[in-house]
Amino acid sequence: MKKFYPLIILLLIAAAAFADPVIYLNQVAFDSNGPKVGVLQFDNKLTKAFSFNLVNVASGQVAYAGMLTTPETIADWLPGKLFFQANFSAFKTAGKYSLRIKYEGLTYTSYPFEIGENMVAKRTLSAIIHYYNKQRANTPGELAADAKMQLFGSNQKVDLRGGWCDASGDVSKYFSHLAYANYFSPQQTPLVTWSMVSASEAIPQLLTKWNLKDSLDNEALYGADYMMRALSKDDYFYMIVFSYFNKDPNARRVVGLLANSVTTNQYQCAFREGGGMAIAALARISQWKKNGEFTSAQYLDGAKRAFAHLLINNTKYDDDGKENIIDDYCALMAATELWIATGEDQYRDEARKRAKNLNGRMTTAGYFISNDADRPYFHASDAGLPVVALSRYLDKEKDEAYRAAALKTIRQALDYNVAVTNKISNPFGYARQSFLFKGKVKDGFFIPHENETGWWWQGENARLGSLATAAVVGGRVAYPAEGNWGIKATLANYAERQMSWIMGCNPYSMSFIYGFGKNNVPYMASNYGHGSERGGISNGVTGKDGCPDGSGIDFKREAKGNEWRWTEQWIPHAAWFLQAVAAMAQPAGVSN
């Protein structure tokens, strides 16, 4: 029997077959002198060249017209969809704009964004400083408990007041966690402090102009004071104040941490477990000649004592008893900052040794080796730190032979980052990486979910910020150029795509910096009144849940208690974002 469908049903079937075009775009801001790229998604093939317009929000007038690029696909993420890039890098006029297209008689318009000189920094830095201020572990209950913090397995108590709560759902305080996994140790509280010092020194005039300099400096000094309290009488740093996710602040202990929140008395920080970056931050901030609750002289003395201690004891604290690449770049940062602060040959020699180690870990393929065998270096939060450490070392190193070796390594690393990212169709420009999975080296967008930690994988927005930072600071010494933040165009484009992903140009149209853009992740509450804050950055996008190699793509607002993998704010994300935007706003040719 022949069926006749009403016209409305036929129209609904047609609409379901071909969804509306989608405009993915940075929802916050672009720097005038940087790249500017959006992504458009269509269901069906286009039969002719296609244009887009930038529309001035205030006047409604078209300010710029351009053509979309040739179509691309991402079979691993969104099969059956076509993606086109809208590149308007040539447009530099300050103002508020939307991207607009006309398609099959209909008009589609993006969420508005701003363009201006140093606009990303101008829009976001105040909020980031606010975020850290609100993350301070300074409620009366925390301060009282932290003043007499008990060491795990001992009746001894120490004063560990201060520091920042680690995440919007975790009020613990970490120099680093995942130490037991050896190759995944992220830099946490010390990285935040060093990032603040670095940013303050990179753009002091802008920070003063925006009335942010004192606030940022005070936050950095607050971080330095916590690290001084965490420096034991035996000259090692206490690694973790762990909450056990208990609402009672007196339940917390100083601990070492294994998988599944198993705690131990192995709480001494190796170079890779926060010790190196803590030394670096203290040595660097000591040169401000400003006092927090400790003096600048005490900051430098603490850095010296901790460094001397780790030169003797580091492998005792490394969980597997062996140093790896993370020890190298964290120790390089520590030695470099002490060399800059003191001018002493002992720190010069240690910095050169660690730089040589990093140079020796570089492969012909362009990625670093983590161990003494064949494991590629891949990291979910600090992937750019080897290049950042080498670049900081070059701020001090003047010997041409040592400089040439470090520059070669930086170039190889940056070339690799761009090459592996562009090796396949990748319209969002999301940074890809090489990793070891089941004994074989693979390339992919996200870290494998089966890894040495046994359980830890999450959105990688800190990794994106670290790679953007590496592209800018490393590019300025290895590939300097006019415009584009002072680096060559391919690196600038790479850096911009990572930052724009965080600010909304991703397949979920999610701005991961809270309080900015059209879409934010849900609010997350925590103990003692802490939780999500404006300026905090959430974990972000991962490989598909259930895919052990990290393939596919996922972002979940709810996941039966595991939504933290995507939605939780974490202090390293904002630290790397801070570093990146400060580097982009720093005048080219001016080192820290």
Side-chain angles (χ1 to χ4, degrees):
M1 180 177 176
K2 199 169 185 178
K3 294 184 179 179
F4 294 92
Y5 293 97
L7 178 60
I8 185 63
I9 294 179
L10 293 174
L11 290 173
L12 288 172
I13 292 172
F18 298 103
D20 288 342
V22 181
I23 301 173
Y24 302 106
L25 201 64
N26 176 338
Q27 298 167 15
V28 183
F30 292 95
D31 289 350
S32 295
N33 68 337
K36 306 166 193 70
V37 183
V39 178
L40 283 82
Q41 173 188 307
F42 294 85
D43 275 356
N44 54 332
K45 291 183 179 179
L46 300 178
T47 58
K48 59 182 180 180
F50 203 75
S51 64
F52 68 90
N53 292 322
L54 282 191
V55 177
N56 186 296
V57 172
S59 68
Q61 299 299 306
V62 173
Y64 179 84
M67 299 298 294
L68 299 181
T69 59
T70 54
E72 299 176 82
T73 59
I74 321 176
D76 193 38
W77 292 358
L78 296 163
K81 306 292 184 182
L82 290 175
F83 298 90
F84 299 77
Q85 294 183 42
N87 192 321
F88 50 101
S89 301
F91 185 75
K92 302 179 186 299
T93 305
K96 193 170 187 178
Y97 301 93
S98 291
L99 190 148
R100 186 173 73 189
I101 61 169
K102 291 184 178 179
Y103 180 68
E104 294 190 343
L106 297 175
T107 299
Y108 300 88
T109 304
S110 76
Y111 188 78
F113 56 89
E114 291 188 71
I115 295 175
E117 185 177 8
N118 303 318
M119 187 54 71
V120 179
K122 185 177 182 180
R123 284 288 316 277
T124 61
L125 288 189
S126 175
I128 291 172
I129 297 167
H130 160 87
Y131 161 69
Y132 283 114
N133 189 265
K134 291 296 185 181
Q135 285 295 109
R136 288 186 178 195
N138 63 357
T139 62
E142 289 169 287
L143 290 172
D146 289 354
K148 51 183 190 304
M149 183 58 56
Q150 186 172 333
L151 304 182
F152 182 90
S154 166
N155 291 324
Q156 183 181 346
K157 295 181 179 180
V158 293
D159 180 1
L160 282 178
R161 288 170 297 143
W164 299 284
C165 297
D166 189 63
S168 54
D170 186 359
V171 294
S172 301
K173 300 185 291 192
Y174 303 91
F175 269 51
S176 179
H177 74 344
L178 307 176
Y180 69 92
N182 296 303
Y183 301 109
F184 274 83
S185 292
Q187 307 307 305
Q188 291 163 261
T189 294
L191 171 76
V192 171
T193 307
W194 188 89
S195 297
M196 290 175 177
V197 181
S198 180
S200 180
E201 294 180 6
I203 52 170
Q205 291 84 5
L206 285 176
L207 291 168
T208 300
K209 177 182 176 181
W210 298 332
N211 296 315
L212 298 176
K213 185 72 163 60
D214 288 345
S215 296
L216 181 57
D217 289 359
N218 288 337
E219 209 62 37
L221 289 164
Y222 172 83
D225 287 338
Y226 176 69
M227 290 187 293
M228 287 299 296
R229 292 194 189 92
L231 182 60
S232 74
K233 60 181 176 58
D234 295 317
D235 296 338
Y236 60 79
F237 292 101
Y238 296 116
M239 193 187 312
I240 296 168
V241 172
F242 192 56
S243 72
Y244 294 90
F245 303 100
N246 190 318
K247 292 183 178 181
D248 179 6
N250 294 298
R252 299 190 294 176
R253 296 289 184 271
V254 175
V255 304
L257 197 60
L258 302 179
N260 301 314
S261 299
V262 174
T263 50
T264 76
N265 64 353
Q266 303 301 304
Y267 41 65
Q268 303 86 357
C269 289
F271 277 122
R272 70 175 179 238
E273 297 163 358
M277 288 304 296
I279 293 165
L282 288 172
R284 188 165 187 176
I285 204 169
S286 75
Q287 298 310 287
W288 286 4
K289 309 303 179 187
K290 292 182 178 179
N291 301 333
E293 295 187 23
F294 294 82
T295 67
S296 59
Q298 287 176 307
Y299 296 146
L300 183 57
D301 179 66
K304 288 180 175 181
R305 289 190 287 114
F307 190 80
H309 180 83
L310 285 181
L311 286 183
I312 298 170
N313 297 287
N314 192 59
T315 55
K316 295 178 186 177
Y317 303 153
D318 284 327
D319 278 51
D320 60 358
K322 297 181 292 185
E323 291 190 340
N324 64 41
I325 190 174
I326 308 180
D327 293 283
D328 280 336
Y329 61 67
C330 291
L332 172 60
M333 195 70 88
T336 295
E337 296 296 358
L338 282 167
W339 183 18
I340 292 171
T342 68
E344 294 179 14
D345 290 353
Q346 61 171 321
Y347 303 122
R348 176 201 65 193
D349 294 345
E350 288 296 328
R352 287 175 172 174
K353 182 182 79 173
R354 293 295 182 168
K356 183 179 179 180
N357 287 356
L358 282 179
N359 297 336
R361 294 185 182 279
M362 175 54 65
T363 63
T364 55
Y367 57 77
F368 290 100
I369 293 295
S370 293
N371 56 9
D372 297 325
D374 61 350
R375 183 192 186 276
Y377 171 68
F378 60 98
H379 204 281
S381 63
D382 300 323
L385 194 45
V387 168
V388 173
L390 284 169
S391 301
R392 180 60 174 161
Y393 161 68
L394 288 178
D395 283 343
K396 180 65 174 176
E397 181 61 78
K398 303 307 176 188
D399 184 281
E400 285 304 319
Y402 289 107
R403 286 187 64 84
L407 282 168
K408 180 182 178 183
T409 301
I410 291 171
R411 289 190 184 104
Q412 287 176 287
L414 295 180
D415 290 348
Y416 156 77
N417 288 345
V418 173
V420 73
T421 294
N422 296 333
K423 192 174 180 179
I424 65 169
S425 177
N426 188 3
F428 288 91
Y430 187 92
R432 298 174 73 244
Q433 57 199 319
S434 297
F435 53 83
L436 194 67
F437 182 73
K438 295 189 182 299
K440 294 183 178 180
V441 176
K442 296 185 63 175
D443 296 341
F445 289 102
F446 307 105
I447 65 165
H449 297 178
E450 285 187 6
N451 57 57
E452 290 95 339
T453 69
W455 67 277
W456 189 82
W457 52 272
Q458 63 172 52
E460 300 173 31
N461 282 334
R463 180 177 78 92
L464 302 187
S466 79
L467 291 170
T469 304
V472 177
V473 301
R476 282 183 172 162
V477 294
Y479 292 114
E482 294 295 324
N484 287 317
W485 303 309
I487 59 179
K488 68 178 184 178
T490 51
L491 278 177
N493 185 68
Y494 174 87
E496 185 276 328
R497 305 307 295 277
Q498 313 320 312
M499 300 297 280
S500 279
W501 177 283
I502 295 170
M503 293 184 283
C505 190
N506 56 69
Y508 299 91
S509 290
M510 185 69 62
S511 174
F512 291 109
I513 179 165
Y514 198 73
F516 292 81
K518 180 181 180 181
N519 301 312
N520 285 167
V521 302
Y523 179 86
M524 181 177 288
S526 191
N527 293 339
Y528 324 134
H530 297 297
S532 300
E533 289 289 347
R534 176 176 167 82
I537 296 176
S538 299
N539 290 333
V541 180
T542 69
K544 187 71 175 176
D545 193 0
C547 291
D549 63 352
S551 60
I553 191 168
D554 229 337
F555 177 79
K556 295 183 179 181
R557 292 169 175 265
E558 296 181 1
K560 298 180 179 178
N562 283 318
E563 56 274 4
W564 65 268
R565 296 189 188 275
W566 298 275
T567 64
E568 189 172 33
Q569 293 179 357
W570 190 38
I571 59 174
H573 298 311
W576 278 117
F577 191 93
L578 169 66
Q579 279 199 60
V581 296
M584 291 168 175
Q586 183 177 10
V590 178
S591 72
N592 285 359

